[in-house]
Structure formats: structure tokens, C-alpha cells
Amino acid sequence: MANILFEGFDVIQNPANLALVHDNFVGTLFPTFPTGRTANASSNCIQVEGIGLDRLRGATSTPADRWGIGMGYSISNMTVGVFTPDTRKTLIELFDGGSTQLRIVVIESDGPANINKIKLRAENGPFASPSTLGPDSAWIDVGENIWNYIEVDATISLTGTVIVKVDNVEVINISGANLRISGTDQADAVEYTIGSNAGSPSPIVKMDDLYAINNDSSSGLDMDVTGLLGPVAVEGIRATNVGDLTDWSSSSGAANHLMLQDVAEGIDHDVTFVKTALINDKELYEFQNPVQPSPTNPVITLEFVVAARKASPGSNRDLQFRYRDNSNFDASMAGVVTVVSEISNQYDVLKKSYAGNPLNSNNPWTKDNLDNGQFGFELVS
């Protein structure tokens, strides 16, 4: 799969608003999620105020040798000394096990007269004794409290390549760099960092609209085919009503879609759910209409996310995601996700990404597909 590791950090503002998710699964996806995070109501993003490094890390079960990574980033209250060559600041890091294959850092801000500029560097190895991979970027205008979009295209090898873009403008291009610090041509985790480690007064740092894709091409997006996605808006949507199929039963007797919205106690303490033991039982739901897509801002991919567990020990069970259009034609989506957990209240978070509409020859999704379609899942084994 193309390993869209995560989409929609609106989940911080509203922990249930990713497609099909029935609970707050942030801690499950990111076990090192920053405890000091806050939700910014005006821009619906992750925000950190004050000194400290907070990290957001996502791992994949399918390591890959080429990665595309994107992050919206905003800094305000920035002064001279916030970023300097001696107190550089990590933005994005690619790991293989415990080894840093690539790290993108801010090495300098422009000083008191022009504090709206930064320089970036590509490096790897230990943070305390890194290896610089090539020339630093020129000065980059970032503005005060202005959103910029940073992207990295990295190929992991002994003679690897690194391309960094800010707002679609290339600022670093390095080839022939040793990105094989672990001894293997791959990365298996991505880490984004927000906060600061120097400066007075302390800056306010925000990030939003994150993506990570690689070149595993079994389904969804393929980095080798797609390339970087450009500045994207990542939006989560949630079930708002029952759809045309409701074979599963509600744990409390209330409407099925309401069972997918309990977030008060977190995923490991969830007490409302939909359930079935019958093969081929199907569920469909109506969803919120997304805000972002437009003719000039198309839908790049959909990621289905569901948290599920078995009610009792036994064989693993497989789910398949489904889509129904406004003409009442419906289709199962390629591939399955497997439910393994059988521990009471411990859920598996299962995700699968689809770049095309199966009812339209896998052509790209449109906003109308999302506004007027229904999405759900089926127990297939």
C-alpha cells in the first residue's frame, strides 16, 4: 500500500472526525504524541507554545526506500536566537529503527531586523554529531504567523537524493548522499517536530495538513508515480447519519452512527460500538461534506480509518471497506484489513487508502462523490 500514514489532524480539534473512526485513536497511532499539545480553535491545528520539543511520530509496517512528506508550518512570536546554527531545530525526520536516515533542520533565523527568514539544512546521524548532506538552503521567507508548506522527497540509499520544497519552490536539491545510516535502504517511521529549543520570548509554533507516502505501490498513492503532492489540505470527516445498509447492531440500541462517535474515554475505554458475527453483514453511513475540495483543489486520496476488535478469542476477522454513490450503485474497495485484537476494549486501528473511485473506473474522487456518497464496511471473513 502507499502507506498514507495519517491524514487529518483536525483530529486534535475534534478527536472523532476521521472517516469511520469511532473513538480517539491518536495515542494508538502515535505512542509518542506530545502531551503538551493544544488545539488552536481558529486554525484547527496542532499548536505548541513555549520552549520544548514535542514530537509526533508514525510508523509503518511496510518500510520503503522512497518517501514523500508534507507539513504545514507556522511560527509566530519569533525573535533572534530562536533558531541559530548552535541550537538548530528539527522539522522532519526519517528513521529506520533507531537510526536517523534523514533530518531536516532549521539552522538559522535572520536576526532582529528580518526575523521572517530561515535557512534549512539536510543532515543525518546522531543529533549531537550529525553529518551535513549538502549545501544549506538560501534564506526562505516564512513570515510572522503565516502558514508555509514544507515537503521532502527522499530516496534512501548509499547514494541517496534529497529534495526539499517550501510552498512548491525547491530550496534544497542533494544527490549522491549517504542516507543508509542504518545499513539498510529504507525508512520505517516519520517524525514531525513542533516547538523550539531556544529563544526569548518563546515562539508559538503550529503544524497542520500532514502527509507521508512511499513507493510501495500495492494500492493507493505511489511515490514513484505521484511525486510530491504539493501543498495539501488534509480534512477529516465523520459519520453523521445511518446509510442504506445497517446489518450491524448497536451496542446501546441508539442509531448506529452515534456508536462511532464516543470519544470521552478514549479508545481503550470505549463502551459504545456496532457489532456483528455474520459474514457479509454490511454497514453504510452518511458523512459530513468536506470543505476543502474544489475544481482547482481536487481530492487526491481518501483514507478509510476504523477501530475494531474481536468480542472473544478466535480466528482473525477481515473487514472490507465499501462505497455507494448517489445512484445507489455500490462497490467493495480493493483489499481487506484484519482485526487481530481480542482484548476487552483494546482496539486495532485499521487504515486503507484509495486514490480512485471504484464506481468510475478508479478515476479520481470528486467532491460530489464525497458529498452525496455513503461509506462503510463489511465483515468478509
Side-chain angles (χ1 to χ4, degrees):
M1 165 171 123
N3 289 316
I4 310 290
L5 297 183
F6 32 77
E7 292 210 84
F9 281 91
D10 297 344
V11 73
I12 302 307
Q13 182 68 19
N14 181 348
N17 70 350
L18 284 188
L20 297 182
V21 70
H22 77 293
D23 215 326
N24 181 357
F25 57 85
V26 171
T28 301
L29 283 177
F30 307 106
T32 57
F33 197 90
T35 56
R37 71 189 186 278
T38 61
N40 181 282
S42 62
S43 55
N44 210 15
C45 61
I46 305 168
Q47 174 175 316
V48 167
E49 299 185 30
I51 296 174
L53 295 177
D54 285 335
R55 295 178 173 86
L56 182 65
R57 186 167 182 173
T60 171
S61 59
T62 309
D65 66 354
R66 188 180 179 200
W67 285 83
I69 305 160
M71 173 175 68
Y73 199 79
S74 173
I75 308 170
S76 59
N77 205 30
M78 185 170 70
T79 61
V80 61
V82 172
F83 301 123
T84 71
D86 294 330
T87 55
R88 68 199 193 282
K89 171 68 176 64
T90 303
L91 293 179
I92 293 171
E93 204 157 357
L94 271 173
F95 293 90
D96 184 36
S99 299
T100 297
Q101 309 282 59
L102 175 65
R103 183 188 302 113
I104 303 300
V105 297
V106 180
I107 59 166
E108 195 172 353
S109 60
D110 197 12
N114 295 289
I115 59 175
N116 60 338
K117 297 176 183 291
I118 59 173
K119 285 185 178 181
L120 299 181
R121 172 178 294 169
E123 62 181 39
N124 59 13
F127 186 82
S129 55
S131 298
T132 299
L133 299 177
D136 300 333
S137 75
W139 287 112
I140 302 166
D141 291 334
V142 294
E144 171 75 4
N145 203 25
I146 293 175
W147 283 95
N148 301 100
Y149 204 83
I150 299 170
E151 293 183 282
V152 179
D153 179 348
T155 300
I156 310 299
S157 76
L158 190 61
T159 55
T161 59
V162 180
I163 295 173
V164 180
K165 293 184 176 182
V166 176
D167 297 333
N168 259 339
V169 177
E170 188 175 287
V171 296
I172 290 177
N173 189 325
I174 299 168
S175 60
N178 179 12
L179 303 186
R180 194 197 288 171
I181 301 302
S182 70
T184 306
D185 292 348
Q186 66 180 39
D188 62 8
V190 179
E191 186 167 285
Y192 302 81
T193 307
I194 52 177
S196 71
N197 51 5
S200 178
S202 299
I204 298 172
V205 184
K206 306 172 187 177
M207 69 177 177
D208 201 356
D209 297 325
L210 313 182
Y211 78 80
I213 61 175
N214 63 33
N215 60 347
D216 175 13
S217 59
S218 57
S219 70
L221 297 176
D222 179 350
M223 181 62 191
D224 281 345
V225 175
T226 306
L228 294 174
L229 303 183
V232 297
V234 179
E235 185 177 0
I237 57 176
R238 66 189 298 181
T240 57
N241 208 342
V242 293
D244 296 334
L245 296 173
T246 54
D247 294 339
W248 294 45
S249 60
S250 163
S251 62
S252 74
N256 283 19
H257 74 286
L258 298 177
M259 299 299 94
L260 308 189
Q261 297 178 6
D262 179 24
V263 301
E265 298 299 328
I267 190 170
D268 291 333
H269 301 281
D270 185 51
V271 294
T272 64
F273 45 81
V274 293
K275 60 183 178 178
T276 190
L278 300 179
I279 303 300
N280 301 131
D281 268 5
K282 302 176 179 68
E283 280 283 290
L284 287 175
Y285 300 97
E286 296 178 358
F287 277 77
Q288 295 169 318
N289 292 344
V291 175
Q292 295 292 346
S294 69
T296 58
N297 186 17
V299 180
I300 297 173
T301 187
L302 295 185
E303 182 175 55
F304 290 66
V305 184
V306 65
R309 67 176 177 87
K310 295 181 291 185
S312 59
S315 301
N316 295 340
R317 310 302 295 270
D318 289 334
L319 294 172
Q320 192 164 35
F321 294 118
R322 301 191 66 83
Y323 164 67
R324 173 171 287 196
D325 67 13
N326 59 357
S327 299
N328 291 324
F329 293 104
D330 72 307
S332 57
M333 313 295 285
V336 299
V337 291
T338 300
V339 183
V340 176
S341 178
E342 56 191 37
I343 302 172
S344 178
N345 291 339
Q346 181 172 310
Y347 289 79
D348 295 327
V349 179
L350 308 168
K351 313 182 298 295
K352 207 157 185 62
S353 301
Y354 300 95
N357 181 347
L359 294 177
N360 186 24
S361 304
N362 284 317
N363 285 315
W365 298 94
T366 66
K367 189 175 188 303
D368 181 69
N369 295 155
L370 276 63
D371 288 351
N372 298 302
Q374 297 178 13
F375 300 92
F377 44 86
E378 174 184 2
L379 184 67
V380 294
S381 69

